[in-house]
């Protein structure tokens, strides 16, 4: 039985690392990805297949704190901080190296079979830009720092004024649309905006599809064969991603994305993900997301108590 605390932890983790029910990376691999995410793409950093290669970057990243003058993350967030974080992240993605990294994803091989690696590359750029900004506020340059900020942001938004909530919703939505549009070359994403009730109905259908026995059994079977070890976290996440794309969203005739009104194939999938992001902070949508991903990760053999400890530890302020 999955506890409500586990569901809450997974829901928070989903909004930061998994984003729209698309699992990202284990802690170690995410940290490696973040180290290289702000490097401009060059020929020597790609393979013959066009896949981007992880290259360490911490050695050439200047932190805003030093051992002799450490800084700590703010104990609480406010409107000015979240606005500044968003503006700085947007600058990197729209006008800095993030833009060129997103453009390079367009050159990778397209098609349903290559959605997962391209989506991962896109998320590396997005999360890397965020972490690069958060370093300056004293957060650690890894998943723990990102998770700590996301949890603080969630607390702030629960009691923030309607104006602040709406600012965060629309600012995050517009930046996310730009990221997806640039990486996947999908136009007119703004047309996919749905009402809060429509978004809840869609997320209920998505979470129900994720929880089908055939999905959980497929994840369990593949992880047992391809990632049997406890430490095979990256492989387990890859399995979950592939099953979500091919066996949930793009399975059958018609596919789930088609029945929800987004068309077929890769473009339909991308449009659906943008639409789901529209109201991702809604409590009911978070509940649907957290419950579905909890069951899926449990089937994959991912250490959920360990994930909760990572999230709990990320919020502890250094002494």
């Amino acid at each position: 039985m999955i506890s409500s605390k586990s569901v809450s932890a997974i829901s928070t983790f989903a909004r930061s690392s998994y984003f729209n029910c698309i699992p990202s990376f284990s802690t170690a691999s995410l940290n490696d990805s973040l180290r290289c995410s702000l490097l401009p793409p060059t020929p020597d950093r790609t393979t013959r297949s066009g896949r981007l290669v992880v290259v360490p970057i911490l050695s050439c990243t200047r932190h805003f704190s030093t051992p002799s003058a450490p800084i700590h993350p703010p104990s609480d967030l406010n409107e000015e901080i979240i606005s500044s974080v968003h503006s700085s992240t947007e600058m990197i993605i729209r006008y800095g190296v993030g833009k060129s990294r997103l453009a390079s994803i367009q050159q990778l091989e397209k098609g349903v079979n290559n959605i997962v690696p391209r989506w991962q590359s896109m998320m590396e750029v997005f999360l890397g830009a965020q972490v690069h900004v958060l370093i300056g506020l004293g957060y650690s340059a890894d998943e723990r720092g990102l998770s700590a900020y996301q949890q603080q942001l969630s607390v702030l938004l629960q009691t923030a004024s309607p104006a602040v909530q709406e600012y965060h919703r629309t600012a995050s939505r517009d930046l996310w649309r730009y990221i997806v549009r640039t990486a996947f070359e999908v136009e007119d994403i703004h047309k996919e905006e749905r009402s809060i009730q429509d978004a809840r109905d869609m997320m209920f259908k998505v979470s129900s599809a994720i929880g089908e026995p055939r999905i959980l059994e497929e994840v369990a079977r593949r992880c047992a064969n391809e990632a049997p070890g406890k430490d095979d976290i990256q492989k387990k996440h890859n399995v979950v991603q592939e099953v979500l794309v091919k066996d949930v969203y793009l399975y059958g005739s018609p596919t789930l994305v088609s029945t929800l009104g987004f068309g077929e194939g890769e473009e339909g999938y991308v449009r659906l993900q943008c639409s789901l992001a529209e109201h991702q902070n809604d409590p009911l949508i978070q509940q649907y997301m957290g419950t579905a991903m909890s069951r899926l990760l449990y089937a994959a053999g991912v250490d959920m108590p360990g994930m909760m400890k990572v999230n709990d530890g990320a919020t502890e302020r250094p002494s």
Side-chain angles (χ1 to χ4, degrees):
M1 187 72 178
I2 300 172
S3 68
S4 58
K5 185 177 180 182
S6 296
V7 170
S8 176
I10 296 298
S11 180
T12 299
F13 190 75
R15 293 197 307 278
S16 60
S17 297
Y18 280 65
F19 205 82
N20 305 335
C21 296
I22 297 301
S24 184
F25 316 97
S26 64
T27 301
S29 60
L30 176 59
N31 294 344
D32 286 341
S33 298
L34 293 177
R35 290 180 186 125
C36 75
S37 60
L38 294 181
L39 281 174
T42 59
D44 61 319
R45 296 194 182 104
T46 61
T47 64
R48 291 181 179 178
S49 63
R51 292 291 305 281
L52 295 174
V53 177
V54 173
V55 180
I57 190 175
L58 285 186
S59 60
C60 59
T61 300
R62 181 177 298 279
H63 289 206
F64 295 134
S65 61
T66 66
S68 60
I71 62 172
H72 299 305
S75 56
D76 298 293
L77 299 183
N78 56 43
E79 180 180 353
E80 289 75 18
I81 292 176
I82 66 171
S83 175
S84 297
V85 168
H86 173 78
S87 298
S88 299
T89 303
E90 183 175 34
M91 178 192 67
I92 292 172
I93 290 176
R94 285 186 179 271
Y95 308 108
V97 292
K99 180 179 180 180
S100 61
R101 282 292 309 276
L102 290 173
S104 71
I105 297 173
Q106 298 176 6
Q107 310 306 315
L108 302 180
E109 185 177 351
K110 298 177 173 57
V112 171
N113 291 332
N114 293 297
I115 287 178
V116 170
R118 291 163 62 210
W119 194 277
Q120 285 181 335
S121 295
M122 181 187 72
M123 290 302 295
E124 288 174 12
V125 177
F126 177 48
L127 296 176
Q130 285 185 300
V131 170
H132 189 74
V133 171
L134 294 177
I135 289 173
L137 289 173
Y139 294 92
S140 58
D142 54 22
E143 182 183 341
R144 292 170 65 90
L146 179 61
S147 179
Y149 175 77
Q150 289 290 344
Q151 290 189 33
Q152 288 180 294
L153 176 61
S154 179
V155 171
L156 172 66
L157 293 177
Q158 289 175 10
T159 57
S161 67
V164 172
Q165 293 180 357
E166 182 64 10
Y167 162 79
H168 176 72
R169 185 186 73 86
T170 56
S172 299
R173 175 201 64 194
D174 293 344
L175 180 57
W176 179 245
R177 286 174 175 173
Y178 172 82
I179 291 170
V180 175
R181 184 175 71 247
T182 304
F184 283 83
E185 299 181 279
V186 177
E187 299 298 331
D188 300 326
I189 291 179
H190 64 280
K191 294 182 179 179
E192 310 305 333
E193 184 170 345
R194 305 294 178 94
S195 68
I196 182 65
Q197 188 58 52
D198 286 344
R200 287 171 175 173
D201 291 343
M202 285 194 301
M203 196 61 230
F204 176 77
K205 293 177 181 178
V206 169
S207 62
S208 297
I210 292 174
E212 289 181 5
R214 70 174 182 87
I215 299 300
L216 301 179
E217 291 169 3
E218 177 66 7
V219 168
R221 181 190 67 79
R222 286 192 55 184
C223 284
N225 293 331
E226 301 173 28
K230 270 188 175 181
D231 297 331
D232 294 333
I233 301 299
Q234 180 61 56
K235 292 180 181 179
K236 293 179 188 295
H237 283 311
N238 287 340
V239 168
V240 170
Q241 287 178 294
E242 291 174 2
V243 170
L244 277 172
V245 172
K246 297 180 180 179
D247 297 314
V248 176
Y249 292 108
L250 300 178
Y251 175 81
S253 181
T255 62
L256 177 60
V257 295
S258 177
T259 60
L260 293 175
F262 294 94
E264 293 285 358
E266 175 183 306
E267 183 170 332
Y269 169 81
V270 171
R271 290 184 181 279
L272 171 62
Q273 292 304 326
C274 283
S275 184
L276 291 178
E278 181 71 25
H279 300 286
Q280 64 169 322
N281 290 309
D282 175 69
L284 188 55
I285 289 177
Q286 290 178 11
Q287 180 182 340
Y288 290 152
M289 180 190 303
T291 300
M293 293 309 303
S294 293
R295 297 182 65 187
L296 199 60
L297 293 172
Y298 184 83
V302 174
D303 179 16
M304 293 179 57
M307 292 176 64
M308 291 173 60
K309 288 182 180 179
V310 169
N311 282 276
D312 290 342
T315 59
E316 296 179 3
R317 189 168 177 168
S319 58

